[in-house]
Amino acid sequence: MEIVVQKYGGTSVADAQRVQAVAKRAIAAKEQGYGVVIVVSAQGDTTDELIQRALQITDEPPLRELDMLLTTGEQMSSALLAMAINAAGTEAISLTGVQAGIRTDSLHTKAKIKSIDTTRVKSELAAGKIVIVAGFQGVDEQGDYTTLGRGGSDTTAVALAAALQAKMCEIYTDVDGVYTADPRVVTSARKLAEISYGEMLEMARLGAGVLQPRAVECAAFERVPLVVRSSFNNNSGTWVKEENQLERERVVVGVAHDLDIAKVTLRGVPDRPGVVARIFTALADAGINVDMIVQTPQERETCDMLFSIDLADLPRTRGIITVVGEELGIDGILYDDQVAKVSIVGAGMVTNPGVAATMFRTLAEAGINILAISTSEIKVSCLVPRTRALEAVRAIHSEFQLDSDA
């Protein structure tokens, strides 16, 4: 029996009517002869509401207890969907991440999946049931609940598809697929028929909220066939796959943006071996990801350093950098939460010089100042003032003619 894994986001199960619509899709897949595994997110804004409840109690909830709270959202969705499928006359069972055998490390709120024991899931499938797994969660070696970070249900679905050797993993969301830019920002954005794993990973890392980056990493490593489509219609979606010859003809396949960015500037950092390692090791040990890094040598054996982080990590970063700064004798520390990151992505950039220059010129002609730059073989990112970010996205999208099918 071939297995398909379907993941449904929060908007797809936001109310009773939508839960019943998902139930119909799941039953239809089973009637086609597949073993069906469903992964669900929490309904609507449930996760945000749970976080707000925690913040009403304390400004800094213990991360273990926060995970205990947040896992309830997905469990509610999975139980409701199982009820809907059973009510429609097809057997279904809901499982928590723990019951589904998902084991993680102990980094609460940002845990990574270490292994999956599929015994229970396979047993339930063999019994003829549709299996609904609560996404976004697992259990560590101590038996404590953990969560996988924003969008973690994507990773749950892909990891399960890999472990079950599923025929494909379908990611159902509130958009028709992956677009050349956020269609809410660029009305002329074009849906891509397919995109490579590498390009999708960069788009996801750089702010495209369609897929969690770790889900794409897992899909690429395990070669899981992945498709993103809407749960509200039957339109064809976007396939994420190893080869993307059609879109490779375009130098740039998409523009991504991220408004949830903060910039940290360190003035007068001692310019000696070990200092940079001390700063970024302290951040890494706290699970804080650093993106752009710019270091500028100064006089008197010091340097200035700029780096960007997720906005949500700013409070913890302040505490860490304050301690490290005093220890190292850093002269000054500045924080800026009014920045954004705008990026272009495309495998074709490897063999086409001048792409970055075109992006920089486009921003210059729009009068948008670039605060920092980072590049790789298939992406160029610029840090810009947050107030100008959406204007930058539209200008770049137009310059590279991404709204054209040509």
Side-chain angles (χ1 to χ4, degrees):
M1 175 178 62
E2 289 187 321
I3 296 171
V4 295
V5 177
Q6 299 179 339
K7 178 264 177 177
Y8 292 90
T11 55
S12 300
V13 292
D15 53 37
Q17 183 178 3
R18 291 182 179 179
V19 169
Q20 289 166 344
V22 169
K24 290 180 181 178
R25 282 185 184 267
I27 293 170
K30 181 172 172 51
E31 289 175 345
Q32 293 175 26
Y34 292 114
V36 181
V37 177
I38 307 293
V39 175
V40 289
S41 299
Q43 290 184 291
D45 297 324
T46 298
T47 300
D48 290 333
E49 292 169 2
L50 290 172
I51 291 173
Q52 288 305 312
R53 290 190 184 189
L55 294 176
Q56 289 171 9
I57 302 298
T58 172
D59 290 338
E60 296 185 5
L63 297 184
R64 178 193 180 278
E65 303 310 323
L66 188 59
D67 274 355
M68 285 287 287
L69 176 65
L70 296 183
T71 53
T72 63
E74 279 69 21
Q75 291 174 28
M76 180 171 66
S77 294
S78 59
L80 291 172
L81 180 56
M83 293 175 191
I85 294 173
N86 279 294
T90 299
E91 281 193 280
I93 185 170
S94 65
L95 301 176
T96 66
V98 177
Q99 292 169 327
I102 299 173
R103 300 284 175 175
T104 75
D105 61 21
S106 298
L107 187 59
H108 287 288
T109 73
K110 294 183 179 181
K112 293 183 179 180
I113 296 174
K114 296 175 67 176
S115 65
I116 300 179
D117 181 352
T118 60
T119 302
R120 177 72 184 275
V121 174
K122 288 180 176 178
S123 174
E124 301 294 355
L125 288 172
K129 299 175 185 177
I130 294 175
V131 179
I132 302 105
V133 178
F136 176 65
Q137 62 184 256
V139 64
D140 67 9
E141 292 182 356
Q142 288 73 45
D144 290 333
Y145 283 95
T146 57
T147 63
L148 308 180
R150 285 290 186 179
S153 294
D154 294 342
T155 301
T156 302
V158 174
L160 275 170
L164 294 166
Q165 297 183 315
K167 179 181 180 180
M168 62 181 166
C169 181
E170 300 175 300
I171 304 293
Y172 286 94
T173 181
D174 55 358
V175 294
D176 286 347
V178 181
Y179 282 73
T180 52
D182 187 336
R184 295 168 297 185
V185 175
V186 182
T187 57
S188 60
R190 183 176 57 88
K191 186 180 74 175
L192 300 171
E194 57 184 48
I195 187 170
S196 70
Y197 288 123
E199 291 167 330
M200 187 67 251
L201 178 58
E202 289 289 7
M203 290 285 283
R205 285 183 57 251
L206 297 169
V210 179
L211 287 169
Q212 189 192 51
R214 270 187 285 164
V216 184
E217 286 179 341
C218 181
F221 183 77
E222 299 289 350
R223 291 298 183 258
V224 175
L226 190 62
V227 60
V228 181
R229 54 170 57 113
S230 174
S231 62
F232 304 133
N233 57 51
N234 294 313
N235 294 344
S236 60
T238 300
W239 283 94
V240 184
K241 53 197 294 188
E242 185 171 5
E243 292 297 329
N244 180 28
Q245 193 59 43
L246 176 64
E247 292 300 331
R248 190 173 296 277
E249 296 175 3
R250 286 182 178 271
V251 177
V252 174
V253 300
V255 183
H257 70 283
D258 190 349
L259 303 181
D260 295 324
I261 295 291
K263 174 168 67 78
V264 182
T265 304
L266 308 180
R267 303 287 191 192
V269 180
D271 194 3
R272 61 175 184 267
V275 169
V276 174
R278 175 70 184 94
I279 294 168
F280 293 108
T281 298
L283 294 170
D285 288 346
I288 296 172
N289 289 321
V290 175
D291 184 20
M292 299 179 173
I293 303 174
V294 178
Q295 182 174 328
T296 307
Q298 301 294 333
E299 298 178 356
R300 297 176 285 107
E301 297 184 342
T302 65
C303 65
D304 290 346
M305 187 176 300
L306 176 156
F307 60 89
S308 63
I309 56 171
D310 289 342
L311 186 60
D313 289 329
L314 183 55
R316 289 191 299 142
T317 299
R318 287 179 183 271
I320 292 168
I321 294 300
T322 297
V323 173
V324 174
E326 291 176 356
E327 173 191 323
L328 297 175
I330 295 173
D331 290 342
I333 306 171
L334 302 174
Y335 301 97
D336 186 355
D337 60 2
Q338 296 301 310
V339 299
K341 180 167 59 179
V342 178
S343 311
I344 55 174
V345 176
M349 283 194 273
V350 175
T351 55
N352 286 272
V355 177
T358 300
M359 180 181 184
F360 302 154
R361 174 178 53 76
T362 301
L363 293 176
E365 290 175 350
I368 299 172
N369 191 36
I370 298 174
L371 307 175
I373 299 167
S374 69
T375 65
S376 73
E377 286 187 337
I378 65 171
K379 66 96 174 172
V380 179
S381 296
C382 294
L383 213 60
V384 301
R386 182 179 298 173
T387 55
R388 307 295 302 277
L390 302 187
E391 180 185 352
V393 171
R394 297 185 188 104
I396 293 167
H397 193 274
S398 175
E399 178 64 29
F400 284 101
Q401 300 179 354
L402 294 178
D403 53 352
S404 168
D405 288 328

